[in-house]
Amino acid sequence: MIIEVDLLPGSRRPRGGGPLPATGTGRFGWVGRGRGLDPGLALLLAVWLAASAAAAILWLAQRSEAAALQTRLREAAADSARLAGIRTITDSIAAQVAEIQGRVALVEQLDGDRFVWPRIMDQLSRALPQSAWLVSIRQLSPAPDVSIEVRGVAASPIAITEFAQALEASEHLSGVKIAGSQKQSLDAGEIARQDFALTVGFDKGGQRRRTARANGTPD
């Protein structure tokens, strides 16, 4: 005796051992009879389409950003080349300025105190009053900060003061100080005389005088 077990609900093998009836799954086996697309497969298809669209949008955005970055890179390269040219010109100008300054310094060094003493003597002669005369001139310090000691004789203390004020007002002399003053002992009938000594500094180009005026201090 043979017992048959039906494992497919709703399907019956016809009596007599004939073939099973068709299930209606369609050509591809995922379309049921009268039911359309399977919901799970439809959800999978929608997810795939959405992912493809998102990937396409992302690719387009990255491509646009890459194009913008390429444009900015070209602009940056152009700016770098322009700045490099400007820097080359600036370095050339700085080198020329340094060369000129070196030449000026060399000329000043060679010149040294070449015109110091002519200027000192000229200023002394211009400032000396008629009632005074010089006895000696002695250098106290070397160039560039030359200072001298001037000794002379004047007819009165007023002449000494006038001489000191005139030296202080001159263009290339400054720091005038009266180092000493003494009245000479005279015999009867001689004219009164006053010995004096001054210390004077040489001001090349009037630099110290301009600095004092800029600081608001008297010359």
Side-chain angles (χ1 to χ4, degrees):
M1 180 179 178
I2 299 174
I3 299 174
E4 294 183 2
V5 179
D6 187 3
L7 299 178
L8 296 175
S11 63
R12 298 287 184 179
R13 182 182 295 274
R15 294 173 184 261
L20 294 172
T23 60
T25 57
R27 181 178 180 183
F28 299 100
W30 49 273
V31 179
R33 181 183 296 174
R35 292 184 300 171
L37 187 62
D38 185 81
L41 294 176
L43 179 59
L44 181 61
L45 180 60
V47 172
W48 179 80
L49 290 175
S52 299
I57 294 174
L58 181 61
W59 180 78
L60 291 175
Q62 290 180 347
R63 184 177 180 182
S64 176
E65 185 177 358
L69 289 176
Q70 288 291 337
T71 302
R72 292 175 59 185
L73 182 61
R74 287 193 294 268
E75 292 176 354
D79 291 340
S80 178
R82 180 175 58 85
L83 292 176
I86 295 176
R87 182 174 181 179
T88 300
I89 296 175
T90 304
D91 293 342
S92 177
I93 294 175
Q96 294 178 4
V97 171
E99 182 180 358
I100 293 173
Q101 290 177 346
R103 292 181 179 180
V104 171
L106 179 61
V107 171
E108 291 179 349
Q109 181 179 1
L110 293 176
D111 182 69
D113 57 349
R114 179 179 177 184
F115 299 104
V116 170
W117 284 104
R119 288 172 177 171
I120 290 177
M121 298 304 295
D122 178 68
Q123 298 296 326
L124 290 176
S125 63
R126 289 175 182 270
L128 187 66
Q130 294 183 351
S131 58
W133 60 95
L134 300 182
V135 176
S136 65
I137 300 174
R138 182 169 63 94
Q139 183 175 350
L140 300 178
S141 61
D145 297 326
V146 177
S147 62
I148 60 174
E149 180 190 61
V150 179
R151 291 186 174 274
V153 179
S156 65
I158 297 177
I160 300 174
T161 303
E162 292 176 353
F163 184 39
Q165 291 176 349
L167 291 176
E168 187 66 36
S170 62
E171 182 179 359
H172 295 287
L173 301 178
S174 63
V176 179
K177 296 180 180 180
I178 299 177
S181 175
Q182 183 178 1
K183 185 177 181 180
Q184 293 184 1
S185 57
L186 303 176
D187 296 333
E190 293 183 351
I191 300 176
R193 293 183 297 176
Q194 194 88 15
D195 294 333
F196 66 88
L198 302 178
T199 57
V200 183
F202 179 73
D203 188 4
K204 186 176 183 181
Q207 183 63 37
R208 283 177 288 187
R209 191 178 306 279
R210 289 194 298 269
T211 303
R213 289 175 180 173
N215 293 334
T217 57
D219 295 343

